[in-house]
């Protein structure tokens, strides 16, 4: 993505970067990471990240920031909204895959062993205690859901705000029933997302993700 952006900029002989309200916080955060790497007890790991994944170090932080600016520079509001909807559908697939494992029926074990149970996992992985679905670790899934949950709530609120004021000015049961009747599929979809995301967050058993969501 970054390489394509640079090639496109060279062809156009112009490098344009969209300014955002997060510019100063991101610069300050990057400076803190650079200083942390310089004064680290292990600069190699601090720069490259965790040794088996090459993630979490200064290099990955720089790449994430560059990806952020690539996104805000090239995506319009309508494209972003479309991407959010795709992300929510993806999240629905992830939690639908993960929730059954909490009750001892893991689709992953069925896929690889033909057995709808959790016997394919070692003692280090216990999805009946802490689910992780397709994300490999409960903490990662919790972080994933802590992002998607507020977005799904916001999309539901956005839908209600998009209804004509005349339709929602009288907040009585009859008018609310009419709104639900005319849009029950969409409202049910978002309520289902919020419910399943929240239940899955609870099933990850990750305090950091749970606190992160509420904050």
């Amino acid at each position: 993505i970054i390489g394509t952006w640079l090639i496109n900029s060279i062809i156009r002989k112009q490098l344009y970067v969209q300014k955002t309200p997060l510019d100063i916080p991101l610069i300050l955060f990057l400076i803190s990471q650079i200083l942390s790497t310089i004064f680290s007890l292990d600069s190699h790991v601090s720069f490259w990240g965790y040794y088996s994944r090459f993630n979490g170090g200064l290099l990955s932080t720089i790449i994430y920031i560059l990806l952020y600016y690539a996104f805000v520079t090239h995506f319009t509001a309508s494209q972003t909204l479309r991407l959010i909807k795709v992300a929510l559908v993806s999240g629905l697939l992830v939690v639908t895959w993960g929730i059954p494992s909490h009750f001892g029926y893991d689709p992953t074990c069925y896929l690889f062993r033909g057995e709808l149970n959790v016997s394919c996992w070692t003692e280090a992985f216990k999805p009946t205690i802490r689910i992780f679905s397709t994300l490999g670790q409960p903490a990662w899934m919790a972080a994933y859901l802590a992002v998607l949950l507020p977005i799904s709530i916001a999309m539901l609120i956005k839908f209600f705000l998009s209804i004509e004021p005349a339709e929602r000015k009288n907040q009585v049961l009859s008018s609310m029933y009419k709104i639900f009747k005319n849009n029950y599929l969409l409202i049910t979809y978002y309520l289902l997302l919020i419910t399943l995301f929240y239940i899955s967050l609870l099933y990850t058993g990750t305090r950091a993700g749970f606190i992160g969501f509420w904050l």
Side-chain angles (χ1 to χ4, degrees):
I1 292 172
I2 296 166
T4 305
W5 184 12
L6 289 174
I7 292 170
N8 186 48
S9 299
I10 292 170
I11 293 172
R12 296 190 177 197
K13 297 180 180 179
Q14 180 185 15
L15 177 61
Y16 173 72
V17 181
Q18 176 68 43
K19 294 181 179 179
T20 74
L22 293 178
D23 292 347
I24 293 176
L26 282 173
I27 290 171
L28 292 175
F29 178 71
L30 180 59
I31 291 172
S32 74
Q33 300 305 290
I34 293 171
L35 291 174
S36 296
T37 302
I38 293 171
F39 295 104
S40 172
L41 294 175
D42 193 333
S43 296
H44 180 84
V45 173
S46 294
F47 179 79
W48 292 103
Y50 189 68
Y51 57 88
S52 66
R53 290 190 292 269
F54 294 104
N55 182 59
L58 178 62
L59 181 62
S60 61
T61 300
I62 292 172
I63 290 172
Y64 292 143
I65 291 174
L66 288 173
L67 286 173
Y68 166 75
Y69 281 106
F71 180 87
V72 297
T73 300
H74 295 95
F75 271 66
T76 63
S78 61
Q79 289 172 327
T80 302
L81 184 61
R82 196 180 312 131
L83 184 64
I84 287 173
K85 291 178 179 179
V86 171
L88 292 177
V89 172
S90 301
L92 179 60
L93 294 175
V94 170
V95 297
T96 302
W97 189 274
I99 288 177
S101 65
H102 177 76
F103 302 97
Y105 306 102
D106 197 323
T108 301
C109 293
Y110 182 78
L111 183 66
F112 287 102
R113 284 192 175 184
E115 301 175 0
L116 193 56
N117 51 40
V118 294
S119 62
C120 63
W121 299 108
T122 65
E123 284 298 310
F125 298 89
K126 295 182 178 180
T128 53
I129 298 176
R130 298 178 70 196
I131 69 169
F132 44 83
S133 187
T134 59
L135 279 81
Q137 190 192 102
W140 296 344
M141 186 172 181
Y144 177 66
L145 294 171
V147 172
L148 290 184
L149 251 172
I151 292 175
S152 58
I153 294 170
M155 291 296 288
L156 181 60
I157 295 172
K158 181 178 182 298
F159 164 73
F160 278 110
L161 293 177
S162 68
I163 299 171
E164 290 299 319
E167 292 184 51
R168 57 184 169 86
K169 64 180 180 180
N170 297 319
Q171 297 298 324
V172 293
L173 288 176
S174 59
S175 62
M176 293 302 292
Y177 173 75
K178 182 181 177 182
I179 292 171
F180 183 81
K181 183 180 178 181
N182 294 337
N183 306 277
Y184 71 93
L185 284 177
L186 189 62
I187 295 173
T188 302
Y189 169 67
Y190 283 124
L191 289 175
L192 180 67
L193 280 182
I194 294 167
T195 303
L196 291 179
F197 287 168
Y198 192 75
I199 290 172
S200 298
L201 181 60
L202 291 175
Y203 286 168
T204 63
T206 305
R207 285 174 294 180
F210 193 72
I211 295 171
F213 159 67
W214 281 106
L215 288 175

